[in-house]
Structure formats: structure tokens, C-alpha cells
Amino acid sequence: MAIQADIVLRNGPIWCGREEGVVEALAIFRDKVLAAGSDAEIKPLIGPKTRVIDLKGRLATPGLNDSHLHLVSLGMTMGWVDSKPEAAPTLEALLGAISARAAQSKPGEWILSRGYDQTKLDTGRHPYREELDRAAPNNPVMLVRACGHIAICNSEALRLGGIDEQSPTPQGGLIEQQNGRLTGLLAENARAPVQAAIPAATEEDIIAGIERGGRYLLSLGITSCMDAAVGQKGGFREIAAYHRAKRDGRLPVRTWLTLLGDDGRSIVPECYAAGLISGTGDEMLMVGAVKLFLDGSAGGRTAWMTEPYLGEDKTTGVWMWEDAELERMVLDAHKKGYQLACHAIGDAAIEQLITAYEKALAAYPDADRRHRIEHCGFSTPVQHERMVKAGIYPCPQQVFIHDFGDAYVKVLGPERALPSYPLRTWFDLGLKPATGSDAPVCDPNPFPNFHTMLTRETWKGTVMDAAQCVTIEEALQAYTEFGAFSQKQEKVKGRLAPGFLADVAVFSRDLLSAAPADILKDTRCDLTILGGNVVYERGA
């Protein structure tokens, strides 16, 4: 008896990958793609028990892979006060939202908020500690900037963190003062004492975050993701939480774990002792790379640049490690067999990271280790040549251009800001750039990301070097095939070819022929299939 498909998709364009192109119909059997081809070729695979999904002209693609986000943080911050520009466009609205949460909270309970961007507030500046004091006089408050690298704390939060005007600034950190008084702004490593004062997340909190964030990703057509710093919220316990979530059916998306490796916070020794090295696991949950932070964010003026930011302070941002410290950590992880995926945004940080990778690869050669530079926003042509030669790959978030491009122009000037995140250049050099959202830094919604890749437009309409635009098929490739490549899983997922995982996203319109403005405006994910199972249906 011939095999009969469990699911067949037909009557709409099905984009299977750059090589495969578009087919008329797709057959799925169990968790894999059975066949892709013309309607006539697939028709014999339809049996009485086959579920036939009529696309009605809508586009189906491989499930999207968000190659850099923070799944635990995404899920957990979904319960925080929303201070994103859409929710709180003015300082008054932001403080009002914090005040409203304080009114519902017990005295002494922490109030946490995330998403503001000072360049989009009506005041054009960060909120001050005293303003947060007035909004929540009886509660500690920590307000996190969209980028996740800067926090504004009220007086009670600073007190609980033991930070005052005499506190020394840690390496790789900033405690801002004006006229000898704390403003409440803490950047990078300076936030640690306040973060340590917040009650630790329980294993159940972490699992609930994984589940909540993962379900949201499925509603967007995202079937795979990378969690970009496992250990940030709960240390090594996050590994246990992920495995328990998987065991209990509470891990909605395929997740590639990137282990926090920074000295002082690293979970790598425990993972290595437990035999958890790169590639350990299965298609649903796999240990991926080791993550080190080298700098901050450009919009927050903490990404490490060779030339100063605009402004009187002549800062070049925040750097985390002496060269020797970084090279020791990179070599240690490389020698242990780990892929590395390190955060470097400014050209100075990227330079330091490439050098560390080159030295590790020279000491222990591996032609296919695929070390990654996360974000890689302000890389230079000379750095690109070295990346090609060494097999080092960028993992950018093009949606940063949409959300923060105007902030880059403001803090760096157009000459440096406009050509940032050079996607077209990376494509042409064969650097296979993956893409993602860095959620909760940006919303994981893929449509602003697609729009940016096609137009290089910011939310305001500023065009950031149109020469770096790519086509819609290239944008899809970045979101699918290159995402799989960045995780060394390009033979398993990222394309709709026979034997590949049956992960499929169905969108409300045909992205291949849609105008970029329409993609941004009102495209939705209508249906998501993971491993041959329908896991999301809009309106269902």
C-alpha cells in the first residue's frame, strides 16, 4: 500500500528554499516533508485520512528561525509593565503605567518595566530616578531600555542594590551622576547589584516564560529560535528548566541554547562537566554555542567604537574585557569543542572578537566551527575579509534598523550610521547572514524585519543606505536556510525538501509578490506547522 500523507498543502505558492523555489503542493508524513511538487504529482498521496489545507493563494514557507532572541526573557517580560514606544509614547504615559502597577502592588514589591527608547520619548532623554520615585514611592523600580543594556532605577532599587554616590564604577559598566547625584542610570555590568537584589526566578517562573514566549513565536510563524544567553536569569538551573519544559510538553519551539560564558556568570564549567557541548541534544532542544558579551548597544551609546560618539563626553562606549582576558575565554571554549556566538556591535568590539577567534582557530584548527558575531552592526570591509578567510559568520538583526536606525544617526552621525548592518554586502561575500529580533529587545514579529531587509527604512521612513537592500527571496533565505546553517542544522531544517523537518509557516498574503509597505502594515501568520503537527491557527 502506498504511503498516504498526513497533511497536504495546495492551491497557493509554497516557497521551499532558494534552490527549490516555488511549488504547487506539499505533502507531509509524520514529522517530515514527504514530497513537494506539482498538484498532479502530490494528488496520489492524498488518502481518506489526509488533512488537505487550502492555501487560497496564501504563501507557505519553511518555518522561520529567529536566530538570536532571549526566549526566557521574552516570556518573563511579557508580564512586566510595557514601556515600549507604542504603549508609552510620552514620559507622562510611561510614568503613569508604572504608577498604575504600583497601585496594584504591595509596598516593597518590585516593579519591572522594559521597552522604552529615550530617542523616541517626547522628552528625548532617559527618565530620572526622582521621576520613578514619584511614580512608585513605596516600591523598588527597574526600568530597562529596549536594548536591554541600560536600566533606570529609582532610589529604593539603588538602595537595595547598595549603590550610592560613592560606589566605584565596575569594569565594563557605568553609574551615571549629574552634579554629584545619581541619576538612576546604570549601564552594562553596573546593573548587577540591583539585578541581584530582585527575587530570583523559580524554575516554574522560567518554564512559564519558555512556554509563554514560545507560544507567541508560533503565532508569528517562528518554529525555531536561539536563546541567546541561557543562564542570565537563573544560572545553570535554566538548563534543568529547559529539559523539564521539553519533558512536560511545555517547550513550544525548537530551541538552540547559547550558554552564558562571561567570567563570573559562566554556566560553561557546569555544562561541560555534564557533557553538554555544542550539538548535544536533539532537533527540539540542542546545546548550541557559548556567548560572551564584548560591548553594549549603539542606541544606548555603549557599543564599543574606535571613534567617539557625537556629544561632549567623547565616549567610545563600554568595553568588557582586556584583550588577554577575552582571548583566554574564547580559547578555553573553542578548545572544549564549543561553537562561539559572541555579542559585538561596535567596530572596536568586532575587531577584538575577530582577533580572539583567529588566535583560537590558529591554535586548534577547525574548518567548520562557524564561530558567530552576534549583531555585528558596525563591521568594516577589512573585518569582512578576515571573517571570510576564517569562516566567521555575522548574525545580525535587521529590525534594529527599523526600530533604532534614527537613534544611530542621532548618536553617531549619518556617515557611520547609514551603512550599519550591511546585509547586501554579507550576502555578496557568501557570509550567509541569519536574522532575528533579539526579543525582547525588539518584538519577534517578523514583518518589520522583512520590511527593513527589503527597504532599509526606519520606523520614521529614513532610508539607511538603500544599496544594502536584499530581495524577498534572500530575506526568506536569511530567516530559514541561513538560520539553520548558523546552527549547523542546514541538512535537517530550513528548507521544504523531502526528508527535512515538516516545519511550515502560512502567511496571510503572498510575500513574494506583495509591496514591502503591505508586508509591514497588515500581514499575519495564519497557520504554523511544527514537526508535522498544526500548532497554531489564527482565529482557532
Side-chain angles (χ1 to χ4, degrees):
M1 184 180 150
I3 287 179
Q4 293 181 337
D6 294 320
I7 294 176
V8 164
L9 290 89
R10 57 179 299 277
N11 195 25
I14 300 164
W15 185 84
C16 296
R18 277 301 288 287
E19 295 277 315
E20 294 80 5
V22 175
V23 298
E24 291 179 325
L26 183 82
I28 292 169
F29 179 67
R30 295 186 179 157
D31 66 339
K32 301 283 196 315
V33 173
L34 177 62
S38 68
D39 221 29
E41 287 168 324
I42 301 302
K43 198 172 181 184
L45 300 171
I46 298 174
K49 292 184 177 173
T50 304
R51 178 178 175 182
V52 178
I53 294 171
D54 184 352
L55 294 174
K56 298 177 183 168
R58 298 168 299 174
L59 177 72
T61 73
L64 303 185
N65 187 340
D66 191 310
S67 301
H68 183 115
L69 56 70
H70 302 262
L71 184 57
V72 172
S73 292
L74 171 65
M76 288 176 69
T77 56
M78 284 168 84
W80 291 13
V81 176
D82 185 357
S83 54
K84 290 197 286 290
E86 306 81 60
T90 64
L91 179 64
E92 189 180 353
L94 192 163
L95 296 171
I98 288 171
S99 187
R101 179 65 63 94
Q104 301 164 356
S105 306
K106 297 182 188 134
E109 257 180 4
W110 278 85
I111 294 172
L112 303 170
S113 175
R114 177 158 185 164
Y116 88 95
D117 179 346
Q118 82 283 6
T119 67
K120 295 182 186 177
L121 281 175
D122 56 337
T123 52
R125 62 164 173 82
H126 298 282
Y128 291 127
R129 151 176 88 109
E130 290 83 1
E131 290 166 331
L132 297 182
D133 288 346
R134 288 194 289 275
N138 303 312
N139 301 82
V141 178
M142 183 175 74
L143 167 66
V144 180
R145 190 179 182 274
C147 63
H149 291 261
I150 286 171
I152 314 297
C153 301
N154 72 346
S155 299
E156 180 61 7
L158 291 167
R159 185 188 71 75
L160 290 169
I163 295 174
D164 61 23
E165 278 77 5
Q166 277 68 53
S167 298
T169 299
Q171 180 181 319
L174 170 72
I175 301 173
E176 187 180 73
Q177 295 194 27
Q178 282 179 7
N179 305 320
R181 279 180 57 73
L182 296 172
T183 64
L185 186 147
L186 306 174
E188 310 302 345
N189 292 343
R191 300 165 300 158
V194 172
Q195 289 166 334
I198 298 169
T202 65
E203 189 171 282
E204 176 52 36
D205 292 336
I206 295 166
I207 292 171
I210 291 166
E211 188 171 31
R212 187 179 190 179
R215 287 188 184 282
Y216 181 44
L217 295 182
L218 291 178
S219 77
L220 300 167
I222 296 165
T223 53
S224 291
C225 72
M226 174 262 239
D227 190 325
V230 177
Q232 254 184 332
K233 295 283 180 197
F236 186 63
R237 291 182 303 122
E238 285 186 40
I239 297 288
Y242 262 111
H243 282 87
R244 206 179 104 200
K246 183 188 165 199
R247 184 196 73 193
D248 295 350
R250 297 177 68 186
L251 176 64
V253 290
R254 303 188 192 280
T255 308
W256 198 74
L257 305 177
T258 302
L259 314 175
L260 188 61
D262 294 335
D263 269 3
R265 307 189 290 167
S266 179
I267 66 167
V268 174
E270 291 158 293
C271 290
Y272 187 67
L276 301 173
I277 61 162
S278 295
T280 309
D282 60 20
E283 289 138 1
M284 200 65 202
L285 184 64
M286 184 179 286
V287 175
V290 167
K291 166 90 171 277
L292 304 169
F293 285 90
L294 275 72
D295 67 344
S297 76
R301 294 165 58 90
T302 56
W304 182 24
M305 303 289 183
T306 49
E307 297 293 323
Y309 287 85
L310 303 181
E312 290 170 17
D313 57 359
K314 296 291 178 236
T315 181
T316 54
V318 174
W319 57 275
M320 303 293 180
W321 309 106
E322 298 284 357
D323 293 349
E325 291 176 303
L326 177 72
E327 287 165 16
R328 173 183 52 75
M329 290 186 290
V330 166
L331 182 64
D332 178 64
H334 176 82
K335 189 176 165 184
K336 286 182 166 123
Y338 287 102
Q339 189 177 352
L340 281 118
C342 300
H343 170 118
I345 290 181
D347 59 337
I350 293 165
E351 183 72 18
Q352 189 188 37
L353 182 58
I354 291 173
T355 302
Y357 282 164
E358 286 170 338
K359 288 184 177 181
L361 287 160
Y364 297 92
D366 182 347
D368 198 34
R369 188 64 67 92
R370 300 186 201 176
H371 290 323
R372 299 171 23 164
I373 302 177
E374 304 306 297
H375 316 303
C376 203
F378 295 84
S379 52
T380 67
V382 174
Q383 289 169 345
H384 296 153
E385 286 173 31
R386 291 165 64 193
M387 289 165 68
V388 169
K389 190 177 172 190
I392 297 165
Y393 296 90
C395 188
Q397 295 67 42
Q398 295 309 114
V399 70
F400 282 11
I401 295 284
H402 179 275
D403 283 13
F404 311 129
D406 295 291
Y408 299 162
V409 175
K410 189 174 178 182
V411 300
L412 289 164
E415 195 180 327
R416 284 194 284 167
L418 297 182
S420 61
Y421 293 91
L423 194 63
R424 171 85 268 150
T425 296
W426 290 328
F427 259 92
D428 292 346
L429 288 169
L431 284 170
K432 300 187 178 180
T435 194
S437 63
D438 202 9
V441 172
C442 301
D443 195 287
N445 173 3
F447 305 111
N449 212 334
F450 278 126
H451 181 261
T452 305
M453 290 192 261
L454 300 176
T455 65
R456 294 282 295 186
E457 281 180 25
T458 71
W459 65 284
K460 269 189 180 173
T462 309
V463 178
M464 303 275 287
D465 188 3
Q468 293 297 338
C469 293
V470 299
T471 67
I472 183 61
E473 288 212 43
E474 288 168 328
L476 282 166
Q477 187 178 27
Y479 243 130
T480 55
E481 293 176 62
F482 290 170
F485 177 85
S486 75
Q487 300 170 351
K488 293 194 174 186
Q489 295 182 75
E490 73 274 18
K491 293 184 172 72
V492 176
K493 64 182 182 182
R495 291 157 51 210
L496 296 177
F500 274 63
L501 288 168
D503 297 350
V504 185
V506 176
F507 299 110
S508 60
R509 60 153 41 90
D510 178 5
L511 304 177
L512 298 173
S513 58
D518 291 335
I519 292 175
L520 177 65
K521 198 165 57 198
D522 58 0
T523 310
R524 298 285 178 271
C525 172
D526 279 355
L527 181 92
T528 307
I529 296 171
L530 178 84
N533 292 306
V534 174
V535 287
Y536 169 77
E537 276 186 89
R538 186 152 68 106

